[in-house]
Amino acid sequence: MFRTALRNVLAHKARLLMTVLAVMLGVAFVSGTLVFTNTISDALQNSSAKGFDHVDVAVEAEYRDASGDRVGKRHELTQDLVDDSAAVPGAASAIGVVRGFTAVADKDGKLIGDGFQSQGGNYWGTKDPRYPLVEGRAPSGEGEVLIDSETAKRTGYGVGDTVRLSVDGPVLAPEVTGVFTTDDGNVAAGGSLALFDTATAQKLFGKPGVYDEIDVKAAEGTSQTALKAALDKALPGDVVETTTGAELADEQAEIIASSMSGLKQGLLVFAGIALFVGTFIIANTFTMLVAQRTKELALLRAVGASRRQVTRSVLIEAFVVGTVAAVTGLVAGIGIGAGLRSLIGSLGATVPDGPLVVSPGTIGTALAVGVLVTMLAAWLPGRRAAKIPPVAAMSSVHAQATTRSLVLRNTLGALFSAAGVAVVLAATRMDGSDGQAPMGLGAVLLIIGVFILTPLLSRPLIAAASPVMRIFGVSGKLARQNSVRNPRRTAATASALMIGLTLITGMTVMAGSLQQAIDKMASASIRADYVVSMANGNQLSPDVAEKLDAADGVTATSPLRNAASRIDGETEYLTGVTGATIGELTDLPVADGAFEVGGGRVVVDDDTAERHGWRAGSTFTVSYEDGAKDRLTVAGVYQANEMMRGIMVDNVVLTPHLSDPVDMQVMVRTEDGASAAAKDRLEEALGDNPAIRVQDKEDISNDIAQMFTLMLNLLYGLLAMAVIVAVLGVINTLAMSVFERSQEIGMLRAIGLERGGVKRMVRLESLVISLFGGVLGIGLGVFFGWAAGELLGTRMATYELVLPWARMGVFLLLAAAVGVLAALWPARRAARLNMLAAIKSE
């Protein structure tokens, strides 16, 4: 039986090629994902670990928990604690660390790095062991700065040059006094690092005399754990906490691994979809191969082969095919992993250098996935073949499915579909987070149910195309009849395309609806002409609001200032605003009272008001950051949205209680409204700072649209793998169908059907099957998009369903193109069949 199985594999090389390709693509996606993410993760971890070479123990400030009327905040690390740490037995030195965001502009005025990759810090003394100087000297005073060597190479800055940078808004222009090297992972990933002297860094990033961390170096012969124990004994435990350098490196490695796991899981989901789609092709292929060999299998049964041996022979074939596909897929996946790494480099997102990581786990996973998927998909056809009695197989009595099996299949499909629809509909009535899991379960049940019912659905849906098919005469009629001749095969082929289009359509519907909802939200809640913020979302200096207020043409401004407070024993965040102007800069629907902010009068969003039981006229006591208390009155309750929410307090009342007031953004209104000239004036008033964004409503919408477009394009690219596998499935099905119908095609040619007519018949059959899958996929996608939107609508009042008719039309055309392209080779093969040889074939 083993030799027979191997001979069957070798005898059907061409037929099994499509199966090998389908499995190979899925395995390549899986192994490529694992190679890529493992390589990036390993490079980042190695680079990060180097950054802790100069840290044996890190001393950080403990967080003072909020309790009663006390607002929670961190204790302060002072110079005394640095001195105490350096004096601990076993300590060689102690360095006070200050760090924060620093946006550096290149010589063309463009921002270097992106967000978290643009960092700043302090250079300790005149010779900091963390940052060896390659040229120049240490900085001294506010007008001097050091830059890292990678930034110097990329920008061309050198000692003596003036560099434009920003910490929290205002533009600074210090002189570069030196260039240093660093193992900082952010720099290796394409960011920048700017260093100031300690006093300047403290002033820019925090508070004079206060550090963010103290790094202690152990004396020779002292271990990290021993030094940590000594520091724990010497320093106040309620003020600081200590961590060894090894623990920090491990924590950082876990953070990197965790951040990469999200990307890995997302990519593996799409790889799983491709493999899932591939199972239809495998099952189809083995079903047809087994059907073609029924007499051969019956003869084996007649000469003594058992049912298990017949099933085992089919599984051996699947094992050989799966092994070949898995090995080739693994090799292709390694190439994909290397290609993805190069791709992110070409897109500007550089990563530290490091070797390509092909772990034993990756190899084992790729081989296991390829072999198991193939064998599982082939098991049912093999089992079905083994159950056929030898006499029935010889006379082909088994060819048609029994009425009982069809009824059972349709009943099962109806139950799954009904359960799926019921669960999805129930989930739409739940709260956003509570309904996610049930909706996912319902979607899976519905897809399974529709897949089971696809043979039943194929007849009426394909019959609907009859009027169009008549246009093509005999070829059209034959194509329609052929497409419903074997409903199970048609269903499996169409389902592969259906799954891909379901996901693509659903995501497109959701993205378009969300985009419109956010556009409506922005236009409905903001009257301001411009919103000013940091490019990376960091906080702004109060100086920004002052400069904007003094700019030409500005009629009203209001900074939005965030501050923690304690109300009724809970931590609540207050939003400081300019009470006199906030009403003309926003347009928030008031549910109760009036929108008035000033003195002790505040406005509260409806969610917060409901939680505390407030209404217009209610009063409450607030404890500010400095411990002072105040009695505030609710003037009005407004409807919150994703852009505006919280307790709005006049900055005149709030700011005196803040030790370090900073703004989240500044809203601006100009006398002539939004215009290019007005925007230029505002940017000029801020020193043409590349780290600051001046956005009108259209810019905000475009930013959001760009995000959705990028996400959709990425998803389309990933789902293209499933579509490619679906194309292979259509080709495979048609090729097998042509082989099975060789005698029939020969007879048609003999009675006058031309080669062009044969080609047309096969192409139309492929087109009908593909459009059938496309219609099912788009229909399911719209339903899932609507359901997910209903779930989102519980949290977003402006959400409403938007059907992207144009894109859905494109998707349907895509399905048609899949059908046309997939039929090229099978149609050509059918047309070239020799009439006499085909008629003689069995």
Side-chain angles (χ1 to χ4, degrees), residues 301-588:
R301 290 290 312 283
V303 298
S306 66
R307 287 184 177 183
R308 286 187 178 182
Q309 285 178 311
V310 171
T311 304
R312 196 179 304 134
S313 71
V314 175
L315 290 179
I316 290 170
E317 289 182 52
F319 175 79
V320 173
V321 171
T323 302
V324 172
V327 172
T328 53
L330 174 61
V331 174
I334 294 171
I336 289 173
L340 285 174
R341 177 172 177 169
S342 300
L343 178 62
I344 64 169
S346 65
L347 294 176
T350 55
V351 294
D353 292 331
L356 199 66
V357 179
V358 184
S359 67
T362 299
I363 297 171
T365 301
L367 295 176
V369 165
V371 173
L372 287 176
V373 165
T374 308
M375 292 184 70
L376 285 173
W379 174 75
L380 189 60
R383 182 172 177 272
R384 192 183 298 137
K387 291 175 69 175
I388 300 170
V391 175
M394 290 289 189
S395 57
S396 298
V397 174
H398 67 286
Q400 297 296 323
T402 63
T403 303
R404 180 185 174 187
S405 69
L406 291 174
V407 170
L408 180 62
R409 178 181 182 127
N410 293 338
T411 303
L412 191 63
L415 290 174
F416 268 97
S417 298
V421 170
V423 173
V424 168
L425 291 177
T428 60
R429 300 183 179 276
M430 298 180 183
D431 185 58
S433 56
D434 296 335
Q436 290 177 2
M439 184 163 290
L441 173 63
V444 171
L445 290 174
L446 181 54
I447 288 175
I448 293 173
V450 171
F451 169 65
I452 296 172
L453 285 175
T454 307
L456 179 66
L457 298 173
S458 64
R459 290 186 179 276
L461 288 178
I462 291 176
S466 294
V468 179
M469 302 294 279
R470 288 196 189 101
I471 299 172
F472 300 96
V474 175
S475 297
K477 183 178 180 180
L478 290 171
R480 185 184 65 80
Q481 291 174 346
N482 289 334
S483 58
V484 295
R485 178 182 294 182
N486 191 332
R488 290 187 176 184
R489 183 191 305 167
T490 298
T493 305
S495 295
L497 191 58
M498 176 193 78
I499 291 170
L501 286 179
T502 296
L503 294 169
I504 290 173
T505 305
M507 290 171 181
T508 303
V509 169
M510 281 186 61
S513 302
L514 277 171
Q515 174 66 52
Q516 179 167 300
I518 292 171
D519 286 349
K520 281 186 177 180
M521 191 184 298
S523 59
S525 61
I526 299 176
R527 284 182 184 169
D529 296 317
Y530 293 99
V531 175
V532 179
S533 60
M534 291 293 284
N536 71 329
N538 269 25
Q539 296 171 324
L540 289 164
S541 165
D543 294 344
V544 172
E546 294 175 8
K547 289 183 178 181
L548 290 168
D549 200 33
D552 292 338
V554 173
T555 59
T557 65
S558 176
L560 301 184
R561 190 163 293 168
N562 203 24
S565 71
R566 296 285 289 178
I567 300 173
D568 296 336
E570 297 179 11
T571 298
E572 291 282 1
Y573 284 89
L574 308 176
T575 300
V577 298
T578 302
T581 60
I582 189 64
E584 60 182 288
L585 295 170
T586 58
D587 188 15
L588 298 166

Side-chain angles (χ1 to χ4, degrees), residues 85 104 136 159 237 245 259 346 400 449 517 537 579 584 627 630 684 764 797 825:
S85 299
V104 180
V159 175
S259 64
S346 65
Q400 297 296 323
E584 60 182 288
D630 200 358
E684 185 179 352
L764 288 172
W825 177 66

Side-chain angles (χ1 to χ4, degrees), residues 270 273 277 447 496-512 708 711-724 726 773-774 776-786 802-804 806-812 814-815 818:
F270 291 98
I273 292 169
V277 171
I447 288 175
L497 191 58
M498 176 193 78
I499 291 170
L501 286 179
T502 296
L503 294 169
I504 290 173
T505 305
M507 290 171 181
T508 303
V509 169
M510 281 186 61
F708 281 124
M711 178 189 70
L712 274 180
N713 288 341
L714 176 64
L715 294 174
Y716 289 163
L718 293 171
L719 288 171
M721 182 72 72
V723 175
I724 291 171
L776 284 180
I778 292 172
L780 282 174
V782 169
F783 176 70
F784 290 139
W786 166 82
V802 176
L803 293 180
R807 290 207 177 191
M808 288 194 294
V810 171
F811 297 156
L812 202 58
L814 173 66
V818 165

Side-chain angles (χ1 to χ4, degrees), residues 33-265:
T33 295
L34 295 175
V35 169
F36 170 66
T37 52
N38 288 343
T39 297
I40 300 300
S41 180
D42 185 69
L44 289 174
Q45 287 177 15
N46 290 338
S47 178
S48 173
K50 291 179 182 177
F52 297 108
D53 288 346
H54 299 286
V55 183
D56 286 318
V57 178
V59 180
E60 297 177 300
E62 278 277 16
Y63 188 81
R64 188 185 73 184
D65 292 334
S67 60
D69 295 329
R70 188 175 68 172
V71 175
K73 60 180 181 180
R74 286 192 180 277
H75 290 283
E76 295 180 345
L77 299 178
T78 62
Q79 184 61 44
D80 289 340
L81 287 171
V82 177
D83 296 336
D84 291 343
S85 299
V88 166
S93 62
I95 294 175
V97 178
V98 184
R99 60 172 71 97
F101 169 73
T102 302
V104 180
D106 61 20
K107 291 186 176 182
D108 295 325
K110 295 181 180 178
L111 193 65
I112 301 170
D114 181 25
F116 72 93
Q117 295 176 337
S118 302
Q119 298 292 319
N122 68 312
Y123 190 83
W124 186 256
T126 57
K127 190 175 182 181
D128 192 327
R130 300 171 299 169
Y131 308 113
L133 289 173
V134 293
E135 60 176 312
R137 60 172 176 80
S140 177
E142 296 183 11
E144 297 183 351
V145 69
L146 299 179
I147 61 172
D148 65 89
S149 56
E150 291 299 320
T151 298
K153 289 177 186 176
R154 287 195 296 267
T155 61
Y157 285 130
V159 175
D161 289 339
T162 298
V163 59
R164 296 177 70 248
L165 53 83
S166 174
V167 171
D168 56 4
V171 176
L172 306 175
E175 178 187 339
V176 177
T177 63
V179 177
F180 63 91
T181 59
T182 177
D183 292 322
D184 190 291
N186 290 325
V187 173
S192 63
L193 179 60
L195 300 178
F196 307 87
D197 68 80
T198 298
T200 302
Q202 288 174 330
K203 181 180 177 181
L204 291 174
F205 302 130
K207 187 176 178 181
V210 176
Y211 299 95
D212 296 311
E213 182 178 300
I214 301 171
D215 291 344
V216 185
K217 188 71 176 173
E220 191 171 347
T222 303
S223 67
Q224 290 186 353
T225 53
L227 178 58
K228 180 181 184 300
L231 287 166
D232 287 338
K233 184 177 180 180
L235 302 179
D238 59 336
V239 176
V240 301
E241 61 177 340
T242 59
T243 311
T244 65
E247 290 172 340
L248 287 173
D250 291 342
E251 288 175 9
Q252 190 66 27
E254 286 180 15
I255 292 171
I256 292 170
S258 176
S259 64
M260 292 301 297
S261 70
L263 173 64
K264 182 186 294 186
Q265 288 171 8

